[in-house]
Structures are given as C-alpha cells and as structure tokens.
Amino acid sequence: HYYITNNLSMSRRMGGFTAQQRYLFDLRGFLILRNIIPSEDLNAAKEAISANLHKFHERKGALRNSRLEAFQGDHVKGRLDCGTMLSWDKPHCDIFRKFLVIPQVIPLMNELCGKGYRLDHLPLTIIQYKEAEGFDLHGGNVDENGQWMQDLSYDCRYGKISCNLLNVAIPLDKTESGDGGFVILPGSHKANFPIPPEIAECDKLEENNYLLNLALNPGDVLIFTEAATHGAFPWRGASESRRTVFYRFCPPNFAYGRGYFEKNAELAKELTEQQSVVLQPPFVPRLNRLHLEDDGSVGTTVRSEMKLDYDRQVFDSEYF
C-alpha cells in the first residue's frame, strides 16, 4: 500500500491540499509529495523498463528536444521514449496501471482538475543516459507571441484552482540539484509576457537564480501544471540513467491529446474500476460521469431518468 509520511497536523486541510501546500502550489506551480511510492513498486517499474528496453525509441535528428546549447548534452545521445507501458505484457504493465490511481494524489487531482478528472496524454516513460540531451524550456502561460495558452492554462478564481493540463511525474532515480534532469521556472504559470531569450537559452547558468533543478528521490511524486515553463538539462547525476514516468491529466470535460479514443476503451476492460474511471473520454460530470472520491471510492453525478428519457426522444440518443 502507498503511505503518507508528511505531518499534516501543523496545517489545516481544506479539500485535497493542506493550506501550506495550496499556497505553495499557487505560488510556484508545482508540489513534491515526498516518499509516497513504496520501494517494491519502484523496483517493479524498474524491472519492467529493463525487460522492455527494446520498445523505447531514441530522439534523433529533427526529433531531438534540444535546440539550445544548455540542453544539448554531448550532442549525440537523444532521450529515449516509450508510451505503451499500459499495454505491456503482464506482469510488466501492472505497475504502470497501478500508478494511474495513487491514493495520496487523488484528492489533489480532484482539487486541481475537478472530480471526474481524466488521463489525457497516454503515459510516457523517458530515459536519459549520461550526457544525453535534455529538453528546451517549454510550456508556459503564454506563447512566444504573448498569446494566452488556454490548452495549458492555470487559473485560480474565488479560491478555486483550475488546471487544464496537469503533470504527475514519478522519478525512479535520485536527482540532486545540479545533476540535470527536470527544471522549472517557479511562478511562470502566471506569466503575462513571453519568456525572454536570455532566460530561455540559459547561457549563463552560474548567474541563473530563477530556474530550479529540483532534488527528487525515488518514492517522490512531482505534480506540476503544464502552464509553468519547464524543461530538462542533460543528465549528469550519479546513476547511469534518469528514468521518469509521466502521467498527464485534464479536467473531465477538457482534452488536449486524442490517444484516449483509440486506446482507452479497449484497455479499460482489463483495468480495475478505479483505474478505468480516469480513462473516460471528455464530457461534463452532470451527464452520469463516474469519478474518484478523495478516499479512492467510485462515485457518480446522476442525471435524472426523466431528463435521460427526454434526451432520447429529442436526440434519438442516450445523451445530447
């Protein structure tokens, strides 16, 4: 079972967050849950990756994620990607399916994306070997022309946070600050101007006191809004590689990717009820959408039979 080591007695809990966690997430655009993934689950994920290395693809040539020197690494090795973990042969798929529903993450997702939140992109596992390229800074509240990026947007109104695309990252290798790997520009999820080139290029890292290279341990879970500008430096840590699993989620009636249409309906037949709930297609909760309650149980918002019957008469369909 997953477990919580955080001492919550010092902060009053409101919804999924403590008051302190909510304040820091709104301020910085990310939150780290420390030591909530058990070692046996981490080992299962590592073993599954090792058994399926042949399914990873290296980013080469025009597919490389790094254009700027600070992110290039040795200019040879590209990042390795795989997004088919949920369909790997058993038992290797099981741990990645389990990661769909992490008990400590559920109440936070309900607060950030709303009940009925859904997996958007298909999950992605990445591997960076020593001096492999990182990823230029990307994401953000506005694009290079200063236009609002609604697809990634973060908003907070009347005390309610809303994230249109939220990333849940599970690191499998230890990262110290300065090792490379994931970096984020805290507060950029609220930026109103494009990122200046001298910041985006990171060409004077010794003077860089605004970009954070987060220290992460196996067992931690990093949650960040895609509206925050982020990226990755080349890997220079103690371990041979940096392996991270990413799950990206949207509000119930919002979609960024479209992989759910081809993959999720068939896959849901093999999952637990809780896991399949987060694979639903996008539609508003009031149309009989299943959702996860904060305690992990499955609930639903019920549309009255009278309205359903009327919809059938008007639209010749169960729902409009």
Side-chain angles (χ1 to χ4, degrees), residues 179-227:
D179 282 351
F182 183 81
V183 293
I184 192 167
L185 191 58
S188 54
H189 60 308
K190 298 181 180 181
N192 290 295
F193 301 97
I195 184 170
E198 55 269 30
I199 293 179
E201 292 170 5
C202 298
D203 56 349
K204 294 182 179 179
L205 294 179
E206 69 280 358
E207 301 175 9
N208 185 333
N209 59 359
Y210 38 79
L211 197 63
L212 292 184
N213 185 193
L214 299 178
L216 298 167
N217 297 310
D220 295 345
V221 171
L222 167 66
I223 301 174
F224 64 95
T225 168
E226 289 275 352

mmCIF file of all heavy atoms in Angstrom, residues 179-227:
data_model
loop_
_atom_site.group_PDB
_atom_site.id
_atom_site.type_symbol
_atom_site.label_atom_id
_atom_site.label_comp_id
_atom_site.label_asym_id
_atom_site.label_seq_id
_atom_site.Cartn_x
_atom_site.Cartn_y
_atom_site.Cartn_z
ATOM 1 N N ASP A 179 22.302 18.041 -10.857
ATOM 2 C CA ASP A 179 22.549 16.800 -11.612
ATOM 3 C C ASP A 179 22.020 16.866 -13.031
ATOM 4 O O ASP A 179 22.332 16.006 -13.852
ATOM 5 C CB ASP A 179 21.865 15.607 -10.924
ATOM 6 C CG ASP A 179 22.628 15.099 -9.721
ATOM 7 O OD1 ASP A 179 23.767 15.554 -9.505
ATOM 8 O OD2 ASP A 179 22.074 14.248 -8.992
ATOM 9 N N GLY A 180 21.202 17.844 -13.333
ATOM 10 C CA GLY A 180 20.469 17.852 -14.587
ATOM 11 C C GLY A 180 19.109 17.228 -14.400
ATOM 12 O O GLY A 180 18.656 16.983 -13.285
ATOM 13 N N GLY A 181 18.455 16.938 -15.507
ATOM 14 C CA GLY A 181 17.082 16.449 -15.418
ATOM 15 C C GLY A 181 16.111 17.605 -15.271
ATOM 16 O O GLY A 181 16.387 18.732 -15.699
ATOM 17 N N PHE A 182 14.985 17.348 -14.661
ATOM 18 C CA PHE A 182 13.855 18.275 -14.659
ATOM 19 C C PHE A 182 14.216 19.631 -14.062
ATOM 20 O O PHE A 182 14.827 19.722 -12.993
ATOM 21 C CB PHE A 182 12.690 17.675 -13.879
ATOM 22 C CG PHE A 182 11.443 18.530 -13.879
ATOM 23 C CD1 PHE A 182 10.586 18.500 -14.962
ATOM 24 C CD2 PHE A 182 11.157 19.370 -12.815
ATOM 25 C CE1 PHE A 182 9.442 19.282 -14.981
ATOM 26 C CE2 PHE A 182 10.020 20.153 -12.818
ATOM 27 C CZ PHE A 182 9.153 20.111 -13.907
ATOM 28 N N VAL A 183 13.799 20.690 -14.779
ATOM 29 C CA VAL A 183 13.933 22.060 -14.282
ATOM 30 C C VAL A 183 12.608 22.778 -14.489
ATOM 31 O O VAL A 183 11.838 22.451 -15.405
ATOM 32 C CB VAL A 183 15.065 22.840 -14.993
ATOM 33 C CG1 VAL A 183 16.428 22.262 -14.654
ATOM 34 C CG2 VAL A 183 14.860 22.858 -16.504
ATOM 35 N N ILE A 184 12.346 23.758 -13.630
ATOM 36 C CA ILE A 184 11.095 24.505 -13.717
ATOM 37 C C ILE A 184 11.336 25.951 -13.338
ATOM 38 O O ILE A 184 12.224 26.250 -12.523
ATOM 39 C CB ILE A 184 10.014 23.863 -12.818
ATOM 40 C CG1 ILE A 184 8.619 24.444 -13.118
ATOM 41 C CG2 ILE A 184 10.374 23.977 -11.341
ATOM 42 C CD1 ILE A 184 7.474 23.643 -12.511
ATOM 43 N N LEU A 185 10.573 26.837 -13.935
ATOM 44 C CA LEU A 185 10.642 28.268 -13.649
ATOM 45 C C LEU A 185 9.463 28.599 -12.731
ATOM 46 O O LEU A 185 8.335 28.774 -13.194
ATOM 47 C CB LEU A 185 10.554 29.059 -14.949
ATOM 48 C CG LEU A 185 10.856 30.557 -14.919
ATOM 49 C CD1 LEU A 185 12.260 30.827 -14.383
ATOM 50 C CD2 LEU A 185 10.710 31.149 -16.306
ATOM 51 N N PRO A 186 9.692 28.638 -11.428
ATOM 52 C CA PRO A 186 8.582 28.818 -10.485
ATOM 53 C C PRO A 186 7.820 30.117 -10.748
ATOM 54 O O PRO A 186 8.421 31.159 -11.015
ATOM 55 C CB PRO A 186 9.280 28.866 -9.120
ATOM 56 C CG PRO A 186 10.592 28.204 -9.331
ATOM 57 C CD PRO A 186 10.993 28.532 -10.731
ATOM 58 N N GLY A 187 6.520 30.035 -10.682
ATOM 59 C CA GLY A 187 5.676 31.207 -10.864
ATOM 60 C C GLY A 187 5.351 31.540 -12.297
ATOM 61 O O GLY A 187 4.508 32.412 -12.563
ATOM 62 N N SER A 188 5.982 30.865 -13.245
ATOM 63 C CA SER A 188 5.772 31.192 -14.659
ATOM 64 C C SER A 188 4.378 30.806 -15.143
ATOM 65 O O SER A 188 3.956 31.240 -16.218
ATOM 66 C CB SER A 188 6.838 30.512 -15.527
ATOM 67 O OG SER A 188 6.877 29.116 -15.280
ATOM 68 N N HIS A 189 3.652 30.002 -14.364
ATOM 69 C CA HIS A 189 2.275 29.658 -14.740
ATOM 70 C C HIS A 189 1.350 30.866 -14.671
ATOM 71 O O HIS A 189 0.208 30.796 -15.125
ATOM 72 C CB HIS A 189 1.753 28.532 -13.854
ATOM 73 C CG HIS A 189 1.732 28.833 -12.391
ATOM 74 N ND1 HIS A 189 2.832 29.301 -11.717
ATOM 75 C CD2 HIS A 189 0.742 28.748 -11.462
ATOM 76 C CE1 HIS A 189 2.532 29.479 -10.439
ATOM 77 N NE2 HIS A 189 1.267 29.151 -10.266
ATOM 78 N N LYS A 190 1.864 31.969 -14.101
ATOM 79 C CA LYS A 190 1.075 33.201 -14.034
ATOM 80 C C LYS A 190 1.676 34.310 -14.900
ATOM 81 O O LYS A 190 1.227 35.456 -14.834
ATOM 82 C CB LYS A 190 0.991 33.679 -12.588
ATOM 83 C CG LYS A 190 0.301 32.697 -11.650
ATOM 84 C CD LYS A 190 0.234 33.263 -10.242
ATOM 85 C CE LYS A 190 -0.456 32.304 -9.302
ATOM 86 N NZ LYS A 190 -0.561 32.853 -7.928
ATOM 87 N N ALA A 191 2.682 33.977 -15.704
ATOM 88 C CA ALA A 191 3.358 34.986 -16.513
ATOM 89 C C ALA A 191 2.412 35.584 -17.546
ATOM 90 O O ALA A 191 1.559 34.894 -18.106
ATOM 91 C CB ALA A 191 4.571 34.378 -17.217
ATOM 92 N N ASN A 192 2.590 36.870 -17.813
ATOM 93 C CA ASN A 192 1.782 37.569 -18.807
ATOM 94 C C ASN A 192 2.594 38.021 -20.023
ATOM 95 O O ASN A 192 2.041 38.671 -20.919
ATOM 96 C CB ASN A 192 1.109 38.788 -18.171
ATOM 97 C CG ASN A 192 0.030 38.383 -17.181
ATOM 98 O OD1 ASN A 192 -0.975 37.799 -17.563
ATOM 99 N ND2 ASN A 192 0.251 38.666 -15.911
ATOM 100 N N PHE A 193 3.872 37.670 -20.039
ATOM 101 C CA PHE A 193 4.745 38.066 -21.135
ATOM 102 C C PHE A 193 5.566 36.857 -21.584
ATOM 103 O O PHE A 193 5.848 35.957 -20.800
ATOM 104 C CB PHE A 193 5.682 39.197 -20.697
ATOM 105 C CG PHE A 193 4.941 40.435 -20.237
ATOM 106 C CD1 PHE A 193 4.706 40.652 -18.898
ATOM 107 C CD2 PHE A 193 4.452 41.349 -21.163
ATOM 108 C CE1 PHE A 193 4.009 41.769 -18.460
ATOM 109 C CE2 PHE A 193 3.760 42.473 -20.745
ATOM 110 C CZ PHE A 193 3.538 42.694 -19.386
ATOM 111 N N PRO A 194 5.969 36.819 -22.853
ATOM 112 C CA PRO A 194 6.792 35.706 -23.343
ATOM 113 C C PRO A 194 8.115 35.642 -22.595
ATOM 114 O O PRO A 194 8.646 36.663 -22.142
ATOM 115 C CB PRO A 194 7.006 36.046 -24.825
ATOM 116 C CG PRO A 194 5.959 37.048 -25.164
ATOM 117 C CD PRO A 194 5.669 37.811 -23.913
ATOM 118 N N ILE A 195 8.668 34.453 -22.491
ATOM 119 C CA ILE A 195 9.949 34.286 -21.827
ATOM 120 C C ILE A 195 11.049 34.940 -22.665
ATOM 121 O O ILE A 195 11.164 34.675 -23.863
ATOM 122 C CB ILE A 195 10.248 32.788 -21.564
ATOM 123 C CG1 ILE A 195 11.553 32.621 -20.780
ATOM 124 C CG2 ILE A 195 10.278 31.983 -22.862
ATOM 125 C CD1 ILE A 195 11.763 31.209 -20.295
ATOM 126 N N PRO A 196 11.864 35.806 -22.100
ATOM 127 C CA PRO A 196 12.939 36.460 -22.867
ATOM 128 C C PRO A 196 13.985 35.447 -23.312
ATOM 129 O O PRO A 196 14.247 34.470 -22.600
ATOM 130 C CB PRO A 196 13.528 37.464 -21.870
ATOM 131 C CG PRO A 196 12.480 37.640 -20.821
ATOM 132 C CD PRO A 196 11.775 36.328 -20.728
ATOM 133 N N PRO A 197 14.595 35.641 -24.469
ATOM 134 C CA PRO A 197 15.599 34.683 -24.971
ATOM 135 C C PRO A 197 16.736 34.442 -23.991
ATOM 136 O O PRO A 197 17.213 33.316 -23.864
ATOM 137 C CB PRO A 197 16.102 35.355 -26.256
ATOM 138 C CG PRO A 197 14.976 36.229 -26.691
ATOM 139 C CD PRO A 197 14.328 36.721 -25.437
ATOM 140 N N GLU A 198 17.190 35.489 -23.287
ATOM 141 C CA GLU A 198 18.327 35.301 -22.387
ATOM 142 C C GLU A 198 17.987 34.397 -21.212
ATOM 143 O O GLU A 198 18.883 33.802 -20.606
ATOM 144 C CB GLU A 198 18.848 36.649 -21.875
ATOM 145 C CG GLU A 198 17.827 37.530 -21.193
ATOM 146 C CD GLU A 198 17.151 38.479 -22.160
ATOM 147 O OE1 GLU A 198 17.012 38.134 -23.357
ATOM 148 O OE2 GLU A 198 16.755 39.580 -21.709
ATOM 149 N N ILE A 199 16.700 34.263 -20.889
ATOM 150 C CA ILE A 199 16.289 33.306 -19.866
ATOM 151 C C ILE A 199 16.089 31.934 -20.492
ATOM 152 O O ILE A 199 16.544 30.922 -19.971
ATOM 153 C CB ILE A 199 15.010 33.780 -19.157
ATOM 154 C CG1 ILE A 199 15.295 35.054 -18.345
ATOM 155 C CG2 ILE A 199 14.451 32.683 -18.252
ATOM 156 C CD1 ILE A 199 14.074 35.608 -17.633
ATOM 157 N N ALA A 200 15.420 31.894 -21.640
ATOM 158 C CA ALA A 200 15.146 30.612 -22.304
ATOM 159 C C ALA A 200 16.420 29.878 -22.696
ATOM 160 O O ALA A 200 16.491 28.651 -22.640
ATOM 161 C CB ALA A 200 14.280 30.841 -23.542
ATOM 162 N N GLU A 201 17.459 30.621 -23.065
ATOM 163 C CA GLU A 201 18.689 29.990 -23.547
ATOM 164 C C GLU A 201 19.568 29.481 -22.420
ATOM 165 O O GLU A 201 20.442 28.641 -22.659
ATOM 166 C CB GLU A 201 19.457 30.987 -24.407
ATOM 167 C CG GLU A 201 18.740 31.315 -25.719
ATOM 168 C CD GLU A 201 19.374 32.472 -26.469
ATOM 169 O OE1 GLU A 201 20.436 32.961 -26.027
ATOM 170 O OE2 GLU A 201 18.799 32.896 -27.493
ATOM 171 N N CYS A 202 19.375 29.976 -21.197
ATOM 172 C CA CYS A 202 20.154 29.510 -20.039
ATOM 173 C C CYS A 202 21.646 29.498 -20.322
ATOM 174 O O CYS A 202 22.365 28.575 -19.940
ATOM 175 C CB CYS A 202 19.709 28.105 -19.625
ATOM 176 S SG CYS A 202 17.999 27.988 -19.116
ATOM 177 N N ASP A 203 22.143 30.519 -21.027
ATOM 178 C CA ASP A 203 23.549 30.516 -21.431
ATOM 179 C C ASP A 203 24.490 30.992 -20.333
ATOM 180 O O ASP A 203 25.705 30.871 -20.461
ATOM 181 C CB ASP A 203 23.737 31.376 -22.689
ATOM 182 C CG ASP A 203 23.239 32.800 -22.499
ATOM 183 O OD1 ASP A 203 22.565 33.060 -21.490
ATOM 184 O OD2 ASP A 203 23.499 33.636 -23.388
ATOM 185 N N LYS A 204 23.944 31.508 -19.234
ATOM 186 C CA LYS A 204 24.783 31.926 -18.107
ATOM 187 C C LYS A 204 24.237 31.262 -16.846
ATOM 188 O O LYS A 204 23.675 31.897 -15.966
ATOM 189 C CB LYS A 204 24.776 33.454 -17.971
ATOM 190 C CG LYS A 204 25.423 34.181 -19.142
ATOM 191 C CD LYS A 204 25.433 35.687 -18.914
ATOM 192 C CE LYS A 204 26.108 36.408 -20.082
ATOM 193 N NZ LYS A 204 26.114 37.889 -19.903
ATOM 194 N N LEU A 205 24.438 29.939 -16.778
ATOM 195 C CA LEU A 205 23.854 29.176 -15.691
ATOM 196 C C LEU A 205 24.385 29.596 -14.331
ATOM 197 O O LEU A 205 23.694 29.484 -13.315
ATOM 198 C CB LEU A 205 24.107 27.681 -15.913
ATOM 199 C CG LEU A 205 23.402 27.056 -17.132
ATOM 200 C CD1 LEU A 205 23.747 25.594 -17.249
ATOM 201 C CD2 LEU A 205 21.896 27.248 -17.035
ATOM 202 N N GLU A 206 25.634 30.079 -14.282
ATOM 203 C CA GLU A 206 26.187 30.498 -13.000
ATOM 204 C C GLU A 206 25.464 31.723 -12.444
ATOM 205 O O GLU A 206 25.500 31.985 -11.239
ATOM 206 C CB GLU A 206 27.691 30.786 -13.135
ATOM 207 C CG GLU A 206 28.055 32.019 -13.971
ATOM 208 C CD GLU A 206 28.005 31.768 -15.474
ATOM 209 O OE1 GLU A 206 27.713 30.615 -15.849
ATOM 210 O OE2 GLU A 206 28.253 32.699 -16.246
ATOM 211 N N GLU A 207 24.785 32.454 -13.305
ATOM 212 C CA GLU A 207 24.028 33.624 -12.861
ATOM 213 C C GLU A 207 22.539 33.319 -12.740
ATOM 214 O O GLU A 207 21.750 34.202 -12.411
ATOM 215 C CB GLU A 207 24.225 34.784 -13.848
ATOM 216 C CG GLU A 207 25.678 35.216 -14.018
ATOM 217 C CD GLU A 207 25.832 36.286 -15.081
ATOM 218 O OE1 GLU A 207 24.801 36.809 -15.552
ATOM 219 O OE2 GLU A 207 26.982 36.588 -15.448
ATOM 220 N N ASN A 208 22.167 32.075 -12.996
ATOM 221 C CA ASN A 208 20.758 31.692 -13.034
ATOM 222 C C ASN A 208 20.275 31.402 -11.615
ATOM 223 O O ASN A 208 20.626 30.381 -11.027
ATOM 224 C CB ASN A 208 20.599 30.448 -13.917
ATOM 225 C CG ASN A 208 19.154 30.052 -14.099
ATOM 226 O OD1 ASN A 208 18.319 30.321 -13.264
ATOM 227 N ND2 ASN A 208 18.866 29.392 -15.207
ATOM 228 N N ASN A 209 19.481 32.282 -11.074
ATOM 229 C CA ASN A 209 18.920 32.049 -9.747
ATOM 230 C C ASN A 209 17.402 31.982 -9.785
ATOM 231 O O ASN A 209 16.746 32.148 -8.769
ATOM 232 C CB ASN A 209 19.379 33.145 -8.765
ATOM 233 C CG ASN A 209 18.955 34.530 -9.222
ATOM 234 O OD1 ASN A 209 18.328 34.672 -10.275
ATOM 235 N ND2 ASN A 209 19.296 35.532 -8.440
ATOM 236 N N TYR A 210 16.849 31.729 -10.955
ATOM 237 C CA TYR A 210 15.402 31.676 -11.095
ATOM 238 C C TYR A 210 14.913 30.318 -11.565
ATOM 239 O O TYR A 210 13.755 29.965 -11.372
ATOM 240 C CB TYR A 210 14.898 32.754 -12.063
ATOM 241 C CG TYR A 210 15.795 32.994 -13.251
ATOM 242 C CD1 TYR A 210 15.785 32.138 -14.341
ATOM 243 C CD2 TYR A 210 16.680 34.071 -13.265
ATOM 244 C CE1 TYR A 210 16.615 32.354 -15.418
ATOM 245 C CE2 TYR A 210 17.515 34.288 -14.338
ATOM 246 C CZ TYR A 210 17.483 33.433 -15.419
ATOM 247 O OH TYR A 210 18.333 33.631 -16.483
ATOM 248 N N LEU A 211 15.770 29.519 -12.191
ATOM 249 C CA LEU A 211 15.381 28.211 -12.694
ATOM 250 C C LEU A 211 15.781 27.152 -11.660
ATOM 251 O O LEU A 211 16.934 27.099 -11.242
ATOM 252 C CB LEU A 211 16.079 27.940 -14.028
ATOM 253 C CG LEU A 211 15.525 26.828 -14.907
ATOM 254 C CD1 LEU A 211 14.107 27.127 -15.361
ATOM 255 C CD2 LEU A 211 16.436 26.607 -16.109
ATOM 256 N N LEU A 212 14.838 26.297 -11.270
ATOM 257 C CA LEU A 212 15.106 25.285 -10.258
ATOM 258 C C LEU A 212 15.325 23.922 -10.892
ATOM 259 O O LEU A 212 14.496 23.442 -11.665
ATOM 260 C CB LEU A 212 13.932 25.192 -9.275
ATOM 261 C CG LEU A 212 13.676 26.379 -8.352
ATOM 262 C CD1 LEU A 212 12.540 26.050 -7.391
ATOM 263 C CD2 LEU A 212 14.934 26.768 -7.584
ATOM 264 N N ASN A 213 16.455 23.298 -10.563
ATOM 265 C CA ASN A 213 16.722 21.895 -10.892
ATOM 266 C C ASN A 213 16.369 21.105 -9.636
ATOM 267 O O ASN A 213 17.142 21.031 -8.699
ATOM 268 C CB ASN A 213 18.183 21.724 -11.279
ATOM 269 C CG ASN A 213 18.551 20.331 -11.751
ATOM 270 O OD1 ASN A 213 19.734 20.013 -11.854
ATOM 271 N ND2 ASN A 213 17.590 19.481 -12.027
ATOM 272 N N LEU A 214 15.169 20.542 -9.606
ATOM 273 C CA LEU A 214 14.615 20.008 -8.368
ATOM 274 C C LEU A 214 15.343 18.759 -7.902
ATOM 275 O O LEU A 214 15.685 17.877 -8.701
ATOM 276 C CB LEU A 214 13.135 19.678 -8.565
ATOM 277 C CG LEU A 214 12.213 20.850 -8.928
ATOM 278 C CD1 LEU A 214 10.791 20.348 -9.125
ATOM 279 C CD2 LEU A 214 12.257 21.928 -7.856
ATOM 280 N N ALA A 215 15.566 18.671 -6.597
ATOM 281 C CA ALA A 215 16.093 17.457 -5.974
ATOM 282 C C ALA A 215 14.927 16.501 -5.744
ATOM 283 O O ALA A 215 13.962 16.838 -5.052
ATOM 284 C CB ALA A 215 16.778 17.799 -4.653
ATOM 285 N N LEU A 216 15.011 15.317 -6.350
ATOM 286 C CA LEU A 216 13.933 14.336 -6.272
ATOM 287 C C LEU A 216 14.503 12.974 -5.907
ATOM 288 O O LEU A 216 15.578 12.592 -6.388
ATOM 289 C CB LEU A 216 13.193 14.237 -7.609
ATOM 290 C CG LEU A 216 12.485 15.511 -8.092
ATOM 291 C CD1 LEU A 216 12.070 15.369 -9.546
ATOM 292 C CD2 LEU A 216 11.280 15.819 -7.221
ATOM 293 N N ASN A 217 13.772 12.244 -5.082
ATOM 294 C CA ASN A 217 14.187 10.910 -4.679
ATOM 295 C C ASN A 217 13.215 9.868 -5.207
ATOM 296 O O ASN A 217 12.015 10.162 -5.361
ATOM 297 C CB ASN A 217 14.234 10.802 -3.148
ATOM 298 C CG ASN A 217 15.253 11.728 -2.540
ATOM 299 O OD1 ASN A 217 16.402 11.761 -2.972
ATOM 300 N ND2 ASN A 217 14.859 12.478 -1.521
ATOM 301 N N PRO A 218 13.693 8.659 -5.482
ATOM 302 C CA PRO A 218 12.753 7.587 -5.789
ATOM 303 C C PRO A 218 11.757 7.448 -4.638
ATOM 304 O O PRO A 218 12.143 7.431 -3.469
ATOM 305 C CB PRO A 218 13.659 6.355 -5.895
ATOM 306 C CG PRO A 218 15.006 6.902 -6.230
ATOM 307 C CD PRO A 218 15.106 8.204 -5.513
ATOM 308 N N GLY A 219 10.483 7.390 -4.978
ATOM 309 C CA GLY A 219 9.433 7.384 -3.968
ATOM 310 C C GLY A 219 8.668 8.683 -3.925
ATOM 311 O O GLY A 219 7.540 8.741 -3.434
ATOM 312 N N ASP A 220 9.291 9.757 -4.435
ATOM 313 C CA ASP A 220 8.607 11.051 -4.508
ATOM 314 C C ASP A 220 7.661 11.076 -5.707
ATOM 315 O O ASP A 220 7.831 10.329 -6.675
ATOM 316 C CB ASP A 220 9.608 12.199 -4.667
ATOM 317 C CG ASP A 220 10.517 12.374 -3.465
ATOM 318 O OD1 ASP A 220 10.202 11.806 -2.393
ATOM 319 O OD2 ASP A 220 11.544 13.076 -3.596
ATOM 320 N N VAL A 221 6.692 11.984 -5.649
ATOM 321 C CA VAL A 221 5.828 12.279 -6.788
ATOM 322 C C VAL A 221 5.820 13.783 -6.977
ATOM 323 O O VAL A 221 5.559 14.538 -6.036
ATOM 324 C CB VAL A 221 4.397 11.754 -6.579
ATOM 325 C CG1 VAL A 221 3.477 12.266 -7.684
ATOM 326 C CG2 VAL A 221 4.372 10.235 -6.556
ATOM 327 N N LEU A 222 6.132 14.217 -8.193
ATOM 328 C CA LEU A 222 6.144 15.633 -8.545
ATOM 329 C C LEU A 222 4.869 15.950 -9.322
ATOM 330 O O LEU A 222 4.564 15.288 -10.315
ATOM 331 C CB LEU A 222 7.369 15.947 -9.403
ATOM 332 C CG LEU A 222 7.397 17.300 -10.120
ATOM 333 C CD1 LEU A 222 7.477 18.442 -9.110
ATOM 334 C CD2 LEU A 222 8.555 17.360 -11.110
ATOM 335 N N ILE A 223 4.124 16.946 -8.859
ATOM 336 C CA ILE A 223 2.927 17.398 -9.546
ATOM 337 C C ILE A 223 3.164 18.833 -10.003
ATOM 338 O O ILE A 223 3.527 19.685 -9.190
ATOM 339 C CB ILE A 223 1.697 17.342 -8.622
ATOM 340 C CG1 ILE A 223 1.475 15.907 -8.114
ATOM 341 C CG2 ILE A 223 0.449 17.842 -9.339
ATOM 342 C CD1 ILE A 223 0.356 15.794 -7.090
ATOM 343 N N PHE A 224 2.990 19.099 -11.295
ATOM 344 C CA PHE A 224 3.176 20.464 -11.769
ATOM 345 C C PHE A 224 2.194 20.776 -12.891
ATOM 346 O O PHE A 224 1.782 19.894 -13.654
ATOM 347 C CB PHE A 224 4.618 20.718 -12.231
ATOM 348 C CG PHE A 224 5.073 19.924 -13.421
ATOM 349 C CD1 PHE A 224 5.009 20.458 -14.706
ATOM 350 C CD2 PHE A 224 5.593 18.642 -13.266
ATOM 351 C CE1 PHE A 224 5.449 19.728 -15.812
ATOM 352 C CE2 PHE A 224 6.030 17.905 -14.358
ATOM 353 C CZ PHE A 224 5.965 18.457 -15.640
ATOM 354 N N THR A 225 1.802 22.043 -12.972
ATOM 355 C CA THR A 225 0.945 22.486 -14.056
ATOM 356 C C THR A 225 1.786 22.708 -15.306
ATOM 357 O O THR A 225 2.887 23.261 -15.235
ATOM 358 C CB THR A 225 0.195 23.784 -13.701
ATOM 359 O OG1 THR A 225 -0.399 24.315 -14.890
ATOM 360 C CG2 THR A 225 1.103 24.841 -13.100
ATOM 361 N N GLU A 226 1.262 22.264 -16.449
ATOM 362 C CA GLU A 226 1.976 22.463 -17.711
ATOM 363 C C GLU A 226 2.004 23.933 -18.112
ATOM 364 O O GLU A 226 2.702 24.312 -19.051
ATOM 365 C CB GLU A 226 1.323 21.629 -18.818
ATOM 366 C CG GLU A 226 1.534 20.127 -18.684
ATOM 367 C CD GLU A 226 2.853 19.663 -19.292
ATOM 368 O OE1 GLU A 226 3.521 20.478 -19.933
ATOM 369 O OE2 GLU A 226 3.190 18.473 -19.101
ATOM 370 N N ALA A 227 1.259 24.778 -17.381
ATOM 371 C CA ALA A 227 1.323 26.218 -17.622
ATOM 372 C C ALA A 227 2.603 26.827 -17.065
ATOM 373 O O ALA A 227 2.924 27.972 -17.373
ATOM 374 C CB ALA A 227 0.110 26.916 -17.008
#
